Amino acid sequence: MPDAFPPRSDTRLLLQNMHVPPGVSVLDVGTGMGVLAVVACKAGAERCVALDINPQSVRNAKSNTERHQLNGRLDIRLSDGLAALAPGERFDLVLANLPGWAAPASDHVEAAQWDTGFATNRAFFAKVRKYLSPNGHILMAKANYPGINDVPAMAEENGLMARIVAAQAPKEDDPRRYVILVFAQAQRRDQWILAYGACRVAPVG
């Protein structure tokens, strides 16, 4: 679709590692064409809210919602980050396929890939905890671009701890690796590190 960012390797890896128990509430941040949100609903989510800053992506996602007859269960909203959420909304699972490299983006399409100064990621971690249910968690796809290890650090600054649950190279001649990170609220950092280890990713050279 013109002016919208299509699903790629990181989306596929998220789909492979996305477990959606029946009856949960799901938030999909940076939904793009709505693929993750549609799959979450079909997997049994009771309710799903999907956000994107790109108007064309929102139109595409709404079209996919109608195509899959998910009106009433899948709520697509135009949103700068989490701005379109109401104060009392809570989610059991947050899916976040945010831009992964702190490089300048000049428009909405580029902003699906590049995050100027990591501003989008920083704003997400600063606000997302208030929308998590008590036992909720976040699933995020990232490529190992330079600065990848800033992401777990941002999360920790805001009371969330990260661990890697999957990693995959998109193809043999591609030096990148995609990782799936899960973030959860941790009462004690030392217990989390003991259980899961420190979250470190080797960045691409």
Side-chain angles (χ1 to χ4, degrees):
M1 289 283 183
D3 301 323
F5 195 68
R8 293 190 175 176
S9 299
D10 50 353
T11 304
R12 289 192 290 271
L13 191 58
L14 256 177
L15 286 168
Q16 293 165 12
N17 291 275
M18 190 173 79
H19 175 57
V20 184
V24 299
S25 56
V26 176
L27 173 64
D28 181 16
V29 184
T31 194
M33 295 183 178
V35 173
L36 294 173
V38 167
V39 172
C41 284
K42 287 183 171 291
E46 182 176 328
R47 171 176 174 265
C48 184
V49 174
L51 310 176
D52 206 287
I53 195 173
N54 184 346
Q56 183 62 48
S57 292
V58 168
R59 285 190 287 271
N60 292 338
K62 286 183 175 179
S63 176
N64 284 329
T65 299
E66 294 171 1
R67 182 177 298 116
H68 291 277
Q69 299 180 330
L70 293 171
N71 289 323
R73 290 177 58 206
L74 177 48
D75 180 3
I76 310 292
R77 304 177 192 175
L78 181 66
S79 183
D80 183 354
L82 305 176
L85 296 177
E89 291 189 277
R90 297 289 183 274
F91 300 93
D92 304 305
L93 172 62
V94 177
L95 305 169
N97 201 352
L98 302 180
W101 198 343
S106 61
D107 56 33
H108 290 326
V109 178
E110 285 190 1
Q113 304 175 71
W114 320 126
D115 185 7
T116 307
F118 264 149
T120 298
N121 283 267
R122 291 187 191 283
F124 171 81
F125 284 113
K127 298 173 182 177
V128 71
R129 273 188 72 188
K130 65 183 177 181
Y131 300 109
L132 276 177
S133 62
N135 295 314
H137 65 280
I138 302 160
L139 206 60
M140 180 180 283
K142 288 292 182 191
N144 64 334
Y145 293 126
I148 176 64
N149 291 302
D150 291 345
V151 176
M154 292 175 209
E156 188 172 337
E157 288 169 5
N158 290 281
L160 296 163
M161 295 297 294
R163 62 189 174 101
I164 300 168
V165 294
Q168 186 178 83
K171 51 188 178 181
E172 287 185 9
D173 60 346
D174 193 328
R176 294 173 300 175
R177 286 180 66 80
Y178 288 105
V179 296
I180 301 300
L181 302 169
V182 63
F183 301 88
Q185 302 182 71
Q187 296 299 318
R188 291 188 53 184
R189 183 180 186 277
D190 57 344
Q191 290 181 349
W192 179 276
I193 296 296
L194 184 63
Y196 302 115
C199 183
R200 295 288 297 175
V201 182
V204 66

